[in-house]
Amino acid sequence: MGIHCCSPGGVRNCFLALAQKMTILLWKSFHRITHGRLLPQVSMSLHSHTHGFEEEKIKKKLQQFAGGSVDLSKEDDGIGILTLNNPRFMNAFTGVMMLELQERVAELENWMDGKGLIVRGAANTFCSGSDLNAVRALSSPQDGMDMCMFMQSTLTRLMRLPLITVALVQGKALGGGAELTTACDFRLMTPESEIRFVHKQMGLVPGWGGAARLVQILGSSPALKLLSGAVKVDPETALRIGLVEAVLSSSDELESLEETRTWLRPYTKGPPAVIQAVKKVVSAGRELQLEAALMTEKEIFGTVWGGPANLQALAQRTKHK
């Protein structure tokens, strides 16, 4: 006899099945997988009107706070470089920069030849968080929540990009800047740089998704220590606790960028379709429950099985050594 939804156990199972289906649908809305082809991500917000979020309203308010830019270069080798450019204020996010970050992420979602992305700051520092002029002007609870949801959506889309992403931390990554580093797959630090979640000192907690991602990266206890202590994390400490992958040898802006490209290169070697598929299956495993992750992995597998890279490897009788 099957389990019916009218029984307590049936209600629970029906709810879980519905939740799983909704999770898969949300995932596919970001990562379209249709008829054996991997399609660009759909540009959509993590939050909606049901959460009280009015994206166009907050966009108009953010547009009022000018200054700085978010620049993107896409190289022939499939590596993109995303640069926060507001050096006068340690690359703090103005309202316009928040809007430009969303635009650059949308562009990267549709970069079919892309394989990797380096996120960095101009003038040898990373990012000091939000521009205080915007913060003071958006001090009402509703404005704060709208900005929070806007940046959560943008950084979630950055995290889900089908690219291998690495944050190059030069100088200081403070507050929202520290949160930004957690939206990347990997983090590298230059000597004498620092990462610090200073939110407590501002009477706040992370609002751009940084706390949730930090727990995924480090675990709950180490994350709690960094957040509750507003701990200044130097490169050696970051490497020891697993917050970063490596400490670079140079603090020079150009040399550290080249070191980062060299570090990233082995992970982006291969056809874009394969690299993007690898990132997608890892993202699915991180975000979805096991059954949903397995279903997604199967569909992504179907996009590369029998594909050009697979057929070429078979023709060359590639062996694993």
Side-chain angles (χ1 to χ4, degrees), residues 171-182:
K172 298 180 185 295
L174 307 177
E179 292 192 66
L180 174 60
T181 70
T182 66

Side-chain angles (χ1 to χ4, degrees), residues 285-307:
R286 177 185 61 226
E287 295 191 46
L288 302 179
Q289 293 183 346
L290 178 60
E291 289 187 10
L294 291 174
M295 291 176 62
T296 304
E297 184 173 317
K298 175 204 67 174
E299 294 191 18
I300 295 172
F301 174 82
T303 69
V304 291
W305 176 266

Side-chain angles (χ1 to χ4, degrees), residues 28 63 66 97 112 116 156 173 245 260 271 314 319:
K28 286 184 177 179
Q63 190 69 49
M97 287 175 67
M112 299 306 291
T156 298
E245 308 302 316
T260 302
L314 291 173
K319 293 184 179 180

